């Protein structure tokens, strides 16, 4: 999970991702545009000590990106988190299609089931479906299913959660727990997510909740799977 004090963004890997990825507009405007004249990103990961240089063209990462993805065996449906370390250096953390962090036990050897003593105790496996309704849009509030109370990524002390769409854009919204209903709910941001994604009443989201129960959790929109 990225350190909440360092700027970061997520990118689900869609078809043709080898040709490049687009930097989310919000991140680009706040942390890149006008902040530096450099057009080369330095990517690092836990897979190797190597630093990968990738060319930025506008809001796209292009030259060198394919080499990075090939070396890390990234696939359609994976999710990568870019954490800005400063001076155009980014630490990249890849997650598999099940949202389990990919563990690299040796260069070019990938293991998605690392020893529990070696990695943080993240929860990646709580998925649920949410429907856009007239009432939850009007109230700007979405109740999570009762089953979310068993998700270790969430706790009653957490006051916010980050919603992430398939393009890697994110919205930080309020997270609360209703003692009366025994359910978590989000507010002040649900309507914005729906509008930004041009959702209509009746549309469905499939979310995957990711977190360790200590840092701000993520609620990621799952990419569609091709038949």
């Amino acid at each position: 999970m990225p350190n909440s004090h360092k700027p970061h963004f997520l990118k689900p890997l869609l078809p043709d991702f080898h040709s490049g990825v687009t930097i989310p507009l919000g991140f680009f405007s706040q942390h890149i545009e006008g902040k530096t004249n450099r057009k080369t990103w330095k990517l690092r990961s836990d897979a190797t000590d190597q630093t990968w240089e990738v060319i930025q063209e506008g809001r796209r990462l292009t030259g060198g990106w394919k080499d990075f993805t090939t070396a890390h065996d990234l696939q359609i449906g994976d999710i990568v988190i870019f954490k800005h370390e400063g001076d155009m250096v980014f630490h990249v953390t890849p997650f598999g299609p099940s949202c389990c962090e990919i563990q690299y036990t040796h260069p070019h050897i990938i293991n998605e089931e690392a020893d529990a003593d070696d990695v943080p105790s993240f929860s990646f496996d709580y998925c649920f479906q949410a429907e856009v309704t007239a009432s939850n849009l009007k109230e700007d509030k979405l109740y999570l299913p009762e089953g979310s109370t068993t998700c270790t990524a969430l706790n009653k002390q957490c006051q916010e959660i980050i919603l992430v769409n398939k393009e890697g854009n994110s919205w930080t919204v309020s997270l609360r727990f209703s003692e009366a209903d025994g359910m978590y709910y989000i507010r002040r941001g649900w309507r914005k997510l729906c509008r930004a994604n041009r959702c209509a009443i009746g549309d469905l989201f499939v979310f995957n909740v990711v977190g360790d129960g200590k840092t701000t959790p993520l609620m990621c929109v799952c990419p569609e799977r091709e038949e």
Side-chain angles (χ1 to χ4, degrees), residues 190-206:
W190 167 247
R191 185 188 300 137
K192 184 181 294 186
L193 172 74
C194 293
R195 288 177 174 173
N197 289 274
R198 300 179 180 177
C199 295
I201 293 172
D203 284 351
L204 299 174
F205 282 108
V206 176

Side-chain angles (χ1 to χ4, degrees), residues 205-224:
F205 282 108
V206 176
F207 287 107
N208 197 327
V209 182
V210 181
D212 61 0
K214 299 176 183 178
T215 54
T216 302
L218 308 177
M219 205 164 89
C220 304
V221 178
C222 297
E224 289 94 346

Side-chain angles (χ1 to χ4, degrees), residues 109-147:
I109 298 178
I110 301 172
N111 174 23
E112 290 196 37
E113 297 181 357
D115 190 292
D117 293 332
D118 298 330
V119 296
S121 179
F122 290 118
S123 169
F124 308 98
D125 56 0
Y126 182 71
C127 295
F128 69 94
Q129 183 172 278
E131 181 179 358
V132 180
T133 68
S135 60
N136 62 35
L137 285 177
K138 181 179 180 180
E139 296 177 6
D140 197 15
K141 178 189 294 186
L142 174 71
Y143 279 93
L144 278 60
E146 291 183 6

